[in-house]
Amino acid sequence: MSWRFVSLPPQDGYHMITSFVAVAEYVTKGGKDTFLVFSVKEPFVNVGVHQEVWLEVDLEYTKKMKIPVVRRDLGGGTVVITQGEHDYFLVLRQEEAPSDPKALYEKFLTPVVNVLKDYGLNASLRDQDIVVNGKKISGNGAMTHGKAVVIAGNILMNVDTELMSKCIKVPSEKFRDKLAKDMSEWITSLERELGYVPPREELDKKLKESFENSLGIKFEEARLTPEEIERWEQLSNEKKKEEWIFYKDNRHPELKTERCVKISSAVVVCHFDYKARKLVRLTTKFVNKRLHEVSISGDFFVMSPQGFVEKLEDRLSGVPPDKIPEVIDLTFNEMKPVIFGFTADDLKKAFQEIINKPEVQEVI
């Protein structure tokens, strides 16, 4: 089986997070499976599609330093992308990809693990991340687009934990110092592990060989088609618009709290972080003994269907607290989402945690 191997020049954040969408549309129309590799021109903050920017990013710092904040179409957490990573995207026909996320990652990330092992590193797959001696060296995610599946990932060549910690929103400077220290302890890089940074061309050569051997495919050097490039430019321009970058924030403009606040005898706004396999953030507003509004955000991945989280939020609006589990179950059963990071039961437990809070109990 023949795949395209496309090596692109360094890109800005908006082009990076739309490259694989343009290619997914090409694959959907019958184009060849494609492996993209490239790096970025300058640092940017990359926010997951299900996250609220105000909860995740230190906007005061990013604006001051003119660091772009970019929202991708892919789930997962907020990351700071720098020139110190080597990025790759696999775009393939949906029928060739396992429907189970764990099996998907195992099949298509094992070749990357093998590349790191070839450098003599103790690399292994942990969920969708690749770790060396327990420290993350590669973050990955997946999504469906049209009739294509995208696996996005990177290999950290070197890391700037100080910059990363300054871009992330934290409760205090003391916490920021701790965050930077923690990042140094649970993130690593080729430079740290090997004592040098391998050339990107060498990495590409090893990746090609490993994927060909593991998947039984053959790469052909290729370029994006004119149609892909035209669509890519269109998509990158759309991602620069503030209504996209802050769409999750603007969807719930009144839900801005990081704790429970009783506004009146009938109204309470409450925020709760629930750690399932991934983080689920719930911000809720209860009015007159009903769930008036909810924002469900976090670093989870919804591979399909698109718009599932928004549909669930809408269906929960106006529901009495005791009916929330029923609505969650009905929506999951009807839409059958493929989610990596939490289950319907996790979501029900998270809501129950909020409902049990004293401030909420007083108004419901």
Side-chain angles (χ1 to χ4, degrees), residues 177-222:
D177 292 341
K178 183 180 183 303
L179 178 63
K181 183 174 181 292
D182 286 348
M183 282 182 173
S184 296
E185 291 175 354
W186 51 259
I187 294 176
T188 191
S189 66
L190 290 177
E191 182 178 48
R192 183 176 295 176
E193 298 296 329
L194 299 175
Y196 70 99
V197 178
R200 293 184 190 273
E201 296 77 14
E202 179 181 292
L203 267 180
D204 287 343
K205 184 172 183 292
K206 286 180 178 291
L207 284 168
K208 288 165 70 175
E209 291 173 354
S210 185
F211 272 92
E212 285 182 335
N213 292 336
S214 181
L215 300 182
I217 61 173
K218 191 69 180 173
F219 282 120
E220 60 178 48
E221 298 285 344

Side-chain angles (χ1 to χ4, degrees), residues 254 284-287 290-294 313 316-319:
E254 295 182 5
T284 59
K285 184 178 183 181
F286 289 89
V287 179
R290 288 179 177 266
L291 178 59
H292 182 264
E293 187 179 4
V294 60
E313 289 176 347
L316 287 166
S317 178
V319 171

Side-chain angles (χ1 to χ4, degrees), residues 223-240:
R223 295 181 179 180
L224 298 182
T225 66
E227 292 78 15
E228 284 174 287
I229 293 171
E230 182 181 357
R231 178 62 173 147
W232 187 17
E233 287 298 325
Q234 180 187 356
L235 289 166
S236 65
N237 286 329
E238 289 174 2
K239 295 306 186 204
K240 294 176 184 177

Side-chain angles (χ1 to χ4, degrees), residues 72-354:
R72 61 187 183 269
D73 286 297
L74 195 67
T78 295
V79 291
V80 181
I81 307 295
T82 72
Q83 297 95 322
E85 63 178 61
H86 196 59
D87 300 289
Y88 54 80
F89 299 91
L90 292 87
V91 188
L92 57 143
R93 290 185 291 275
Q94 197 166 7
E95 61 266 24
E96 297 170 15
S99 57
D100 174 59
K102 184 178 179 182
L104 178 76
Y105 290 131
E106 189 171 324
K107 179 175 181 178
F108 291 105
L109 294 182
T110 295
V112 183
V113 172
N114 290 338
V115 167
L116 297 173
K117 286 181 175 179
D118 192 53
Y119 279 107
L121 302 180
N122 179 28
S124 60
L125 187 61
R126 185 177 65 192
D127 290 333
Q128 83 277 26
D129 293 333
I130 299 172
V131 298
V132 171
N133 296 322
K135 295 181 179 181
K136 180 176 173 179
I137 198 170
S138 170
N140 302 271
M143 64 175 282
T144 57
H145 186 86
K147 296 178 181 177
V149 170
V150 177
I151 299 102
N154 58 52
I155 296 173
L156 296 177
M157 303 177 77
N158 53 58
V159 292
D160 186 344
T161 53
E162 184 179 354
L163 177 65
M164 292 178 181
S165 67
K166 286 180 177 177
C167 292
I168 303 299
K169 186 174 180 180
V170 293
S172 68
E173 287 306 311
K174 185 177 180 181
F175 188 93
R176 192 183 305 282
D177 292 341
K178 183 180 183 303
L179 178 63
K181 183 174 181 292
D182 286 348
M183 282 182 173
S184 296
E185 291 175 354
W186 51 259
I187 294 176
T188 191
S189 66
L190 290 177
E191 182 178 48
R192 183 176 295 176
E193 298 296 329
L194 299 175
Y196 70 99
V197 178
R200 293 184 190 273
E201 296 77 14
E202 179 181 292
L203 267 180
D204 287 343
K205 184 172 183 292
K206 286 180 178 291
L207 284 168
K208 288 165 70 175
E209 291 173 354
S210 185
F211 272 92
E212 285 182 335
N213 292 336
S214 181
L215 300 182
I217 61 173
K218 191 69 180 173
F219 282 120
E220 60 178 48
E221 298 285 344
R223 295 181 179 180
L224 298 182
T225 66
E227 292 78 15
E228 284 174 287
I229 293 171
E230 182 181 357
R231 178 62 173 147
W232 187 17
E233 287 298 325
Q234 180 187 356
L235 289 166
S236 65
N237 286 329
E238 289 174 2
K239 295 306 186 204
K240 294 176 184 177
K241 297 176 181 177
E242 289 209 347
E243 52 261 42
W244 164 251
I245 297 168
F246 295 97
Y247 103 86
K248 190 74 176 176
D249 305 56
N250 295 337
R251 181 173 162 79
H252 305 283
E254 295 182 5
L255 295 186
K256 294 283 194 296
T257 184
E258 293 180 70
R259 58 191 180 92
C260 280
V261 179
K262 185 179 174 184
I263 298 171
S264 72
S265 61
V267 181
V268 62
V269 178
C270 207
H271 176 89
F272 182 68
D273 287 351
Y274 183 85
K275 190 69 174 78
R277 197 166 187 176
K278 288 288 187 177
L279 180 67
V280 179
R281 295 183 185 271
L282 295 182
T283 311
T284 59
K285 184 178 183 181
F286 289 89
V287 179
N288 294 323
K289 300 184 178 181
R290 288 179 177 266
L291 178 59
H292 182 264
E293 187 179 4
V294 60
S295 172
I296 303 170
S297 62
D299 60 359
F300 49 83
F301 297 84
V302 180
M303 291 183 61
S304 66
Q306 287 187 330
F308 170 76
V309 171
E310 289 76 13
K311 176 72 76 174
L312 180 58
E313 289 176 347
D314 290 341
R315 288 187 176 183
L316 287 166
S317 178
V319 171
D322 62 339
K323 295 294 183 183
I324 289 174
E326 180 181 326
V327 172
I328 291 172
D329 283 336
L330 284 171
T331 307
F332 268 73
N333 289 336
E334 177 190 326
M335 300 186 73
K336 296 179 172 52
V338 179
I339 298 174
F340 186 85
F342 73 91
T343 65
D345 285 341
D346 288 323
L347 201 56
K348 288 185 285 186
K349 288 175 185 175
F351 270 104
Q352 193 58 52
E353 292 271 8
I354 282 188

